[in-house]
Amino acid sequence: MSTAVSVESRIDHIEVTDETITAFLVDGRVISVPLAWSWRLSDATPAQRANCRLIGDGHGVHWPDVDEDLSADGMLNGVPARRPGTAKKGSTAPANRALQPPSGAKRKPKSHKSSRATRG
């Protein structure tokens, strides 16, 4: 028998340097990701990076000056954010595939018949 332990990832405080974003969690863990993971924070001034507040009871952090939000879970499991308008090399697909129909889905062909009133 195994017992799964659920650990909530809540941030106690955060530090942003010229190189990293480091979240200190309430349970003692420390998460650090490259600053380049957030292009908004990469482009921000040190004063803008320092102006942040915890949101969602510590589940995330918000930087109002640059309109950026990061979550502890996102830092643990996420991937770097791409700048708008940039796609992977060779890719023409939209960035958010969740909004796209499944690849096997077929569209109904459009009818080219014109509608006419029934004559009686």
Side-chain angles (χ1 to χ4, degrees), residues 44-115:
T45 66
Q48 290 171 320
R49 293 177 193 156
N51 182 24
C52 65
R53 63 182 173 89
L54 296 178
I55 56 175
D57 195 30
H59 289 279
V61 182
H62 176 68
W63 285 266
D65 297 338
V66 293
D67 193 28
E68 178 71 303
D69 295 307
L70 296 178
S71 70
D73 287 339
M75 290 176 73
L76 283 166
N77 305 310
V79 294
R82 288 196 304 259
R83 288 181 186 269
T86 60
K88 288 182 180 179
K89 189 175 182 177
S91 172
T92 57
N96 192 346
R97 298 185 71 60
L99 299 177
Q100 301 302 311
S103 58
K106 294 182 181 178
R107 290 185 174 173
K108 291 183 181 179
K110 289 185 178 180
S111 173
H112 294 290
K113 294 179 184 176
S114 60
S115 62

